[in-house]
Amino acid sequence: MPFTDLPLAQMRAYQGSSQLPTDLGEFWDTTIEGASLFPIDACFERVETHLRLIETYDVTFAGFGGDPIKAWLHLPDAKGAHVEPLPAVVVYPGYSCGRGLAHQNTLWAQAGYAMLVMDSRGQGYGGQVGDTPDPHPSAGEMNYPGVMTRGILDRNEYYYRRFFTDAFRAIAAVQAHPRVDASRVAVHGMSQGGGLAIAVAGLAAGRIDGLIACLPDVNFLADYPRALDVASTGPYRELELYLKRHRNHVEAAFVTLPYFDVVNLGRAASVPAYFSVALRDTTCPPSTVYASYNKYGVDAPDPAEKSIEEYSFNDHEGGGEHHVARQLAWLRKLMA
């Protein structure tokens, strides 16, 4: 596969092209305050997975608008003994994926963490099944198949306003479990999940305590203008095809998108972050990942510690199992 993005030296310094709304903080203050009117009401129901070393709970909590959001919570089996509260990892799904089946993804619990696998409203039609509908009226309006263009003509109605809020409230949901150390929570995800992790790290600053780390892999939802110019596969194409047909919607869409660009949201993040980027990624172009990385934490009172792993010959699969091993070591060191 040929290398199709900027030269590496330029990417490493690239700052992004998305406009920064002057009222970005005010918009998200209003959104988060509106969501806080609904108690988190996290409910944990034990389920059987036949994984003898893992306890699994079917979780429901109140997301945007009080909508019920599903998740799985995996815990190392305590076997009735008194144990210290566990640090937690909240895992966000990739595009089109839901939380999957109860036994599918337990890695962080195997490593000794409480692991919350959040579902995605209105997705779950791709790699892993989902169980959370998106009841908002704009979900049924005119859009391109997928979720990228749902409500895109109005920032208040856009799909990712709801989804980012769900992801933010997932922190409070996992903190509500008695075996979780509420002061030690990390957020993690790949692709769309990586974008959500960055967004939550930015939204958490000054709004919620306990988040201490962010691990985004080959993240999506970044630098939309550049992504639309460069990405040749994946969900950015939904935007391109929608705007190709709806020529009169281009201006309104580009008013909405900067409020949900994680290059902008990540600027406020203050917790350590460990990124990854694949230099031959045609779905989430590496220049857009570098824009996210370079802007991460720049508006925090103290510079956020951050590092990034480059995978020179990989496409959107990124570092795969090799990067997972590095993440396990990075987070264990941070949590020590």
Side-chain angles (χ1 to χ4, degrees):
M1 181 185 296
F3 189 80
T4 59
D5 210 328
L6 297 171
L8 183 55
Q10 287 183 236
M11 281 199 294
R12 286 173 173 166
Y14 180 63
Q15 302 293 307
S17 61
S18 183
Q19 294 295 311
L20 179 63
T22 58
D23 62 344
L24 181 70
E26 179 183 343
F27 172 76
W28 281 105
D29 281 342
T30 300
T31 299
I32 299 301
E33 287 168 8
S36 69
L37 298 176
F38 300 91
I40 197 71
D41 282 342
C43 175
F44 304 91
E45 182 178 350
R46 182 75 183 267
V47 296
E48 178 60 74
T49 63
H50 304 288
L51 301 177
R52 296 180 63 184
L53 303 181
I54 303 291
E55 296 177 10
T56 296
Y57 296 84
D58 187 359
V59 182
T60 307
F61 67 93
F64 178 89
D67 297 336
I69 308 300
K70 301 297 290 184
W72 299 120
L73 178 65
H74 303 299
L75 302 171
D77 190 354
K79 299 192 181 303
H82 174 74
V83 292
E84 295 297 320
L86 296 167
V89 179
V90 177
V91 179
Y92 299 122
Y95 193 76
S96 82
C97 294
R99 64 176 179 166
L101 301 181
H103 67 277
Q104 271 188 278
N105 183 7
T106 63
L107 175 71
W108 290 102
Q110 295 174 56
Y113 301 94
M115 176 183 181
L116 186 85
V117 183
M118 194 187 88
D119 206 7
S120 50
R121 60 167 66 224
Q123 297 189 43
Y125 54 86
Q128 293 183 169
V129 299
D131 298 297
T132 303
D134 183 15
H136 195 271
S138 71
E141 292 176 356
M142 176 182 60
N143 57 77
Y144 191 84
V147 300
M148 287 296 293
T149 62
R150 287 186 185 177
I152 197 170
L153 302 184
D154 182 342
R155 63 182 184 173
N156 292 306
E157 304 299 319
Y158 190 41
Y159 171 84
Y160 279 100
R161 184 182 184 222
R162 304 189 289 281
F163 198 18
F164 283 8
T165 304
D166 298 341
F168 173 83
R169 286 174 64 84
I171 297 175
V174 76
Q175 289 173 325
H177 194 277
R179 284 191 62 195
V180 168
D181 180 349
S183 69
R184 293 192 294 164
V185 178
V187 288
H188 162 58
M190 179 175 180
S191 191
Q192 176 183 253
L196 289 167
I198 297 168
V200 169
L203 292 172
R207 296 187 177 100
I208 193 170
D209 294 327
L211 183 66
I212 65 167
C214 177
L215 297 95
D217 294 340
V218 293
N219 67 269
F220 182 41
L221 306 170
D223 195 5
Y224 291 102
R226 173 87 184 149
L228 284 167
D229 285 344
V230 181
S232 58
T233 58
Y236 288 122
R237 291 274 292 155
E238 294 178 22
L239 287 169
E240 178 186 357
L241 294 171
Y242 175 86
L243 296 175
K244 176 180 179 180
R245 173 54 54 197
H246 300 283
R247 300 166 178 85
N248 57 325
H249 292 173
V250 173
E251 182 176 353
F254 276 90
V255 169
T256 295
L257 289 171
Y259 291 89
F260 308 93
D261 190 323
V262 302
V263 176
N264 293 335
L265 287 169
R267 295 170 64 105
S270 60
V271 300
Y274 186 32
F275 283 69
S276 73
V277 60
L279 299 187
R280 301 187 183 222
D281 194 339
T282 59
T283 298
C284 295
S287 57
T288 68
V289 175
Y290 262 108
S292 308
Y293 174 72
N294 289 328
K295 289 294 189 182
Y296 183 90
V298 297
D299 291 340
D302 297 307
E305 296 179 16
K306 59 185 179 181
S307 57
I308 188 167
E309 293 286 349
E310 293 176 354
Y311 294 95
S312 299
F313 294 96
N314 289 94
D315 195 345
H316 196 50
E317 75 280 0
E321 65 277 14
H322 297 274
H323 190 62
V324 169
R326 290 169 169 165
Q327 288 175 320
L328 288 165
W330 183 87
L331 191 59
R332 182 63 65 194
K333 183 178 179 180
L334 183 73
M335 293 285 191

